[in-house]
């Protein structure tokens, strides 16, 4: 474990683009690998927060692969991975990794799962976990999609620029959301969804938060919200959504987006959705 630099490094547009290219290559390589591993069969290796919160051998292998590829490209950066990778590095840049986002889909061989990789810097005001992505990539290998963004550089899907939808009315919006693994968390989420569902076109629960946010970025969902996300679920895809024009909101004005709430929507409907999610309407 190495010493943490005291302040965040200044990241130029050129460095952000370089980090985005690394994120893209690594996400694509890991995406290919998890798809191959799924084709060969899947084994539950352990459970985490509840009996339904599983980790497979593929989650662990993919995280090891991602960490090795990042260390090869950027040996002095830090790494934080869902399955335990943890190294603070010396450059002030920390890679935040979800090796398989959508593990339950993966287990059932449903095609929506992704690899999420973000290069982040410290920024206590940007997100609830105190870090902000300057570059990120999400690879969904079954659909052959690679989403990439760098701060200020825009967002792309398979190299083509993407944009959020032009939706103006919450009542016509298709809204993605997700649910945690514990029964207490789900009881709260059920109350929120009961408020939102009558006020929107419909709800989708795709099963991968990173992919949900990329769908908002592509205009294939109008909006998304979830409570209880971890940094690796949103680090890359929140940047992708923001770079595609989404407004990101947290639970209130004082709390940045993140674990308590992350909402992403086109600016025209972000306020109305936020009011509905927070029971102000
Ligand atoms: C989960 C997925 C899911 C979201 C959960 C996450 P995992 O991540 O992103 O869509 O609703 O909150 O924990 O466990 O598949 O990496
Ligand atoms: Ca995840
Ligand atoms: Ca995961």
């Amino acid at each position: 474990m190495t010493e943490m630099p005291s302040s965040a490094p200044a990241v130029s547009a050129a460095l952000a683009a370089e980090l985005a290219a690394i994120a893209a290559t690594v996400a694509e390589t890991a995406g290919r690998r998890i798809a191959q591993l799924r084709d060969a069969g899947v084994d539950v290796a352990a459970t985490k927060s509840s009996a339904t919160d599983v980790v497979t051998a593929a989650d662990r292998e993919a995280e090891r692969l991602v960490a090795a590829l990042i260390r090869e490209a950027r040996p002095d950066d830090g790494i934080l991975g869902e399955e335990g990778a943890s190294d603070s590095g010396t450059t002030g840049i920390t890679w935040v990794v979800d090796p398989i986002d959508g593990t339950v889909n993966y287990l059932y061989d449903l095609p929506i799962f992704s690899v999420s990789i973000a290069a982040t810097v410290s920024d206590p005001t940007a997100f609830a976990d105190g870090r902000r992505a300057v570059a990120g990539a999400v690879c969904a290998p079954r659909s052959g999609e690679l989403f990439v963004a760098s701060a200020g550089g825009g967002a792309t899907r398979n190299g083509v620029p993407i944009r959020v939808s032009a939706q103006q009315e919450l009542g016509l919006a298709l809204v993605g959301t997700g649910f945690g693994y514990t029964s207490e968390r789900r009881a709260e989420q059920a109350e929120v969804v009961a408020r939102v569902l009558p006020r929107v076109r419909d709800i989708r629960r795709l099963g991968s938060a990173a992919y949900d946010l990329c769908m908002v970025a592509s205009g294939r969902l109008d909006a998304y919200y979830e409570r209880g996300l971890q940094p690796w679920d949103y680090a890359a895809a929140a940047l992708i959504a923001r770079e595609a024009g989404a407004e990101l909101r947290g639970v209130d004005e004082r709390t940045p987006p993140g674990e308590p709430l992350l909402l992403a929507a086109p600016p025209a409907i972000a306020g109305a959705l936020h009011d509905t999610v927070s029971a102000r309407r």
Side-chain angles (χ1 to χ4, degrees):
M1 198 77 118
T2 36
E3 211 179 290
M4 189 67 170
S6 53
S7 60
V11 175
S12 65
L15 176 57
E18 205 179 291
L19 297 171
I22 295 169
T25 309
V26 176
E28 221 175 4
T29 306
R32 258 198 310 274
R33 184 69 188 135
I34 62 172
Q36 266 170 7
L37 288 169
R38 184 63 192 76
D39 290 341
V42 67
D43 276 323
V44 172
T47 56
K48 298 192 277 188
S49 62
S50 77
T52 52
D53 183 6
V54 300
V55 54
T56 70
D59 292 83
R60 291 173 174 171
E61 180 179 329
E63 185 164 300
R64 281 195 298 272
L65 172 65
V66 168
L69 292 171
I70 288 173
R71 286 196 182 106
E72 203 176 293
R74 302 267 314 171
D76 299 325
D77 292 351
I79 301 185
L80 172 70
E82 179 177 14
E83 308 310 338
S86 170
D87 184 347
S88 39
T90 54
T91 62
I93 292 170
T94 296
W95 293 81
V96 178
V97 176
D98 194 338
I100 303 180
D101 186 51
T103 295
V104 175
N105 284 347
Y106 189 81
L107 190 63
Y108 281 77
D109 209 8
L110 290 168
I112 298 177
F113 52 82
S114 58
V115 179
S116 169
I117 300 178
T120 70
V121 295
S122 165
D123 184 345
T125 61
F127 287 93
D129 64 296
R131 303 201 67 84
R132 166 175 58 86
V134 293
V138 173
C139 174
R142 292 293 194 219
S143 58
E145 291 170 296
L146 178 66
F147 299 90
V148 186
S150 62
T156 57
R157 173 187 168 275
N158 294 346
V160 178
I162 47 176
R163 204 68 209 150
V164 292
S165 81
Q167 190 55 258
Q168 305 273 321
E169 273 187 61
L170 183 61
L172 298 179
L174 187 61
V175 177
T177 191
F179 308 115
Y181 289 107
T182 65
S183 138
E184 296 75 18
R185 168 75 67 186
R186 286 190 174 183
E188 283 165 33
Q189 288 170 325
E191 279 172 27
V192 177
V193 99
R195 252 192 330 268
V196 175
L197 185 55
R199 295 176 166 84
V200 298
R201 181 189 297 272
D202 207 345
I203 292 274
R204 292 290 179 270
R205 197 287 193 251
L206 300 179
S208 161
Y211 193 74
D212 288 316
L213 283 160
C214 291
M215 290 301 94
V216 173
S218 324
R220 290 174 173 174
L221 284 176
D222 292 306
Y224 163 80
Y225 75 90
E226 187 165 344
R227 289 178 172 177
L229 291 179
Q230 298 301 308
W232 39 80
D233 297 318
Y234 63 76
L239 173 68
I240 292 166
R242 181 174 271 162
E243 286 293 325
E247 185 173 321
L248 302 181
R249 292 202 181 196
V251 72
D252 55 36
E253 284 91 46
R254 292 178 312 280
T255 316
E259 200 272 340
L261 174 69
L262 191 148
L263 181 153
I269 58 169
L273 179 59
H274 189 270
D275 286 350
T276 305
V277 166
S278 352
R280 283 201 206 111
R281 265 181 205 186

